Amino acid sequence: MSRPERLANLAGVVVPFVGVLAAILLLWNQWVDWIDLGIFAVMYFTTALGVTVGFHRLLTHRSFRTAPWLEQSFAVMGSLSVQGSVMDWVADHRKHHAHTDVEGDPHSPHVGHGSGLPGLWHAHTGWLLETQGQADWKKYAKDLYEDPAMRKIGKRFPWLVVASLLIPTLLGYVLHGFTWEGALRGYIWGGLVRIFLVHHVTWSVNSVCHYFGSRRFDIEDKSTNVAWLAIPSLGESWHHNHHAFPRSAQHGLKRREIDLSALVIRGLERAGLAHDVVRITPERQAQKAIQPDREREKVLTPS
């Protein structure tokens, strides 16, 4: 990828966030205030954790176990992110792991769309129009397909999309003194802006975290760790670590690798709401780490 392409891709990730911050500053005390940001934050973390802890670490990889009522609650929270039904999300992601960065991967930036920006566009957004929701539930999400409660949540996805917009609208209406302007502000900041940012962060894990960043484990795919995405992604951007150890409940494997989703799982465990939490010992990590001679070989061998 050329330098201009790299800069263009970085701009595509950063500019939307800068735009939202600029909008907050320009509209402060006119069309956005602490109430609006509070509604945004509650909706962002609720739905993002529904994806990272619920859809991903619990339902896709079974990184920990929990009671059926909490499992179903996480499935509903993830559905409120408006990233597709729980059945489609889990099946697509398991298919991604089964064919990572090779033919069959639903959203690799390295397969079928050329190099550089075309591949990154496919991984970030284009795949939504081509391959999203095409993974066979019976093959890639059989456990969910055979669970009546999960099938019911999946079928109700359209209604959950409505709820995802209605909840912040009602919060804005009430918290701003039962005004229609407050309802509109809740709809915009807790609904539209929040969905946009949660989507953009998730898509960045698909695209950026398979192209830029660091690697330290000897695995065949092209996944990477991207530190500056760690906080907004709630720890999902330690994506190379995740591909090295897919069932690990903790993606940030080092102390300095911030992983808010892992902290939530730890809190659930301490509260007695999570058990059989999968953790990777330092010894296992060392076994899979890239050795200095192997690293030199990879650098010297033409790709």
Side-chain angles (χ1 to χ4, degrees):
M1 179 183 283
S2 67
R3 181 176 177 82
E5 287 178 322
R6 289 180 182 272
L7 292 175
N9 182 73
L10 183 62
V13 175
V14 174
V15 166
F17 294 93
V18 175
V20 170
L21 292 175
I24 291 172
L25 293 174
L26 292 172
L27 298 173
W28 188 255
N29 280 333
Q30 298 178 48
W31 276 92
V32 58
D33 60 15
W34 290 113
I35 292 176
D36 302 312
L37 294 186
I39 295 171
F40 166 83
V42 168
M43 293 300 298
Y44 184 97
F45 284 104
T46 298
T47 58
L49 285 172
V51 173
T52 64
V53 175
F55 277 11
H56 194 197
R57 306 190 195 195
L58 173 59
L59 296 173
T60 300
H61 295 289
R62 300 297 180 183
S63 298
F64 65 99
R65 299 284 176 178
T66 190
W69 70 266
L70 186 54
E71 187 171 292
Q72 293 157 24
S73 297
F74 272 119
V76 170
M77 289 164 57
S79 299
L80 293 174
S81 71
V82 195
Q83 294 186 14
S85 75
V86 60
M87 310 288 289
D88 285 335
W89 202 102
V90 170
D92 281 343
H93 194 72
R94 287 180 179 172
K95 187 175 182 180
H96 165 64
H97 275 269
H99 306 279
T100 307
D101 290 326
V102 297
E103 196 66 37
D105 188 333
H107 47 65
S108 171
H110 303 283
V111 179
H113 292 79
S115 60
L117 286 179
L120 284 164
W121 166 257
H122 169 75
H124 198 76
T125 305
W127 77 284
L128 301 171
L129 305 176
E130 299 177 26
T131 57
Q132 185 189 31
Q134 294 184 9
D136 186 351
W137 295 350
K138 295 181 181 179
K139 180 177 181 180
Y140 292 104
K142 185 177 180 181
D143 53 332
L144 301 187
Y145 180 78
E146 294 176 348
D147 184 336
M150 285 297 162
R151 286 206 309 273
K152 186 179 294 185
I153 292 171
K155 288 179 180 179
R156 291 179 177 173
F157 174 67
W159 291 107
L160 292 171
V161 172
V162 174
S164 184
L165 293 169
L166 185 60
I167 292 170
T169 302
L170 291 175
L171 286 173
Y173 179 73
V174 172
L175 295 177
H176 278 294
F178 301 95
T179 65
W180 291 113
E181 178 184 314
L184 180 59
R185 286 162 65 163
Y187 174 76
I188 291 172
W189 294 100
L192 300 181
V193 173
R194 179 264 309 176
I195 290 172
F196 168 73
L197 289 180
V198 171
H199 280 195
H200 202 70
V201 169
T202 302
W203 299 338
S204 294
V205 175
N206 294 342
S207 58
V208 174
C209 296
H210 277 266
Y211 225 109
F212 306 97
S214 61
R215 294 166 56 85
R216 70 171 182 271
F217 296 111
D218 191 5
I219 57 178
E220 294 301 321
D221 63 52
K222 300 180 185 298
S223 58
T224 62
N225 290 330
V226 181
W228 53 270
L229 267 175
I231 292 178
S233 70
L234 309 186
E236 294 290 282
S237 69
W238 305 114
H239 197 55
H240 174 66
N241 296 349
H242 169 57
H243 272 269
F245 304 101
R247 291 202 63 217
S248 175
Q250 185 170 338
H251 293 184
L253 297 177
K254 292 183 176 181
R255 181 170 297 181
R256 67 175 182 272
E257 294 177 345
I258 300 171
D259 187 347
L260 299 180
S261 297
L263 292 177
V264 169
I265 295 172
R266 187 179 304 171
L268 292 173
E269 185 180 29
R270 290 179 176 176
L273 296 174
H275 56 91
D276 297 335
V277 179
V278 178
R279 294 187 172 89
I280 308 302
T281 65
E283 291 75 19
R284 282 190 63 195
Q285 295 180 46
Q287 288 173 358
K288 194 169 280 192
I290 297 175
Q291 302 302 318
D293 57 338
R294 176 64 174 159
E295 190 170 11
R296 283 196 298 272
E297 178 184 334
K298 287 187 175 183
V299 171
L300 293 173
T301 302
S303 56

